[in-house]
Amino acid sequence: MNLIAVSRDSGWVSIRLSHSPGGDMKKNLMSLVLASGVLLASAHAATKQEYQSATVVSVESHEIPSNYAGSNPSDAPLQSEVYSYDIGIRLGCSVYRTRYESAFDYLPSVFAANHPVEVKPQKHVMYVSLPGDREVRMAIGGRSGVKDISCMARK
């Protein structure tokens, strides 16, 4: 079996094979695996989303309320220490409500009102680029449109 052609037309991959008597099957299989790997890598690179410029519009500390209803606070069950912040991020004509959570009482400096950030929004999460080639994954709680003259003109 010999690899004859590998083509990528309109998102579909076509690999044609032909049989040759006395061919080295291991060599042909390795050629097929190599060609498949190259095609998968190029397809993944084409779908990789780039960061977009956005702006932090609001930052609020999110307090987790205690569910203890007893009379003696010392009897309350221990609660996990999670520091949580609701962050509003404007991207284009939308404001995303996201939540930043950390086990430490630390909020990165990029999360300040009117501060520019680089983001990658996805279906239910948003990745925000942090200094030092790091990124943080935050859940998207909602999205609302911006009632701004520049956004109204686009519609």
Side-chain angles (χ1 to χ4, degrees):
M1 189 182 300
N2 289 331
L3 180 66
I4 291 181
V6 177
S7 65
R8 187 171 167 198
D9 300 325
S10 66
W12 291 94
V13 175
S14 170
I15 300 175
R16 294 185 297 160
L17 302 171
S18 70
H19 181 71
S20 67
D24 185 12
M25 190 163 180
K26 221 182 218 187
K27 183 178 173 184
N28 292 329
L29 181 61
M30 290 304 291
S31 297
L32 180 62
V33 168
L34 180 63
S36 298
V38 168
L39 288 172
L40 285 174
S42 68
H44 178 52
T47 60
K48 190 173 181 180
Q49 190 178 6
E50 296 297 320
Y51 282 102
Q52 301 174 34
S53 295
T55 305
V56 174
V57 292
S58 65
V59 179
E60 297 175 13
S61 178
H62 178 79
E63 296 295 326
I64 300 172
S66 172
N67 58 357
Y68 179 69
S71 60
N72 188 353
S74 65
D75 293 338
L78 293 176
Q79 288 191 317
S80 65
E81 287 291 322
V82 174
Y83 298 93
S84 181
Y85 299 87
D86 292 327
I87 314 255
I89 297 177
R90 179 178 175 168
L91 177 62
C93 291
S94 297
V95 173
Y96 292 85
R97 289 187 325 271
T98 63
R99 173 137 323 143
Y100 174 80
E101 294 181 336
S102 174
F104 306 104
D105 189 11
Y106 168 74
L107 183 65
S109 61
V110 298
F111 296 124
N114 299 316
H115 193 278
V117 291
E118 295 293 314
V119 299
K120 284 192 293 189
Q122 294 188 351
K123 196 166 192 169
H124 300 289
V125 295
M126 179 176 285
Y127 293 91
V128 178
S129 177
L130 297 178
D133 289 335
R134 296 180 304 143
E135 70 178 14
V136 64
R137 180 179 190 246
M138 300 188 322
I140 296 175
R143 185 180 91 177
S144 59
V146 175
K147 294 180 176 121
D148 186 320
I149 294 173
S150 63
C151 291
M152 300 295 252
R154 291 183 191 178
K155 292 181 181 180

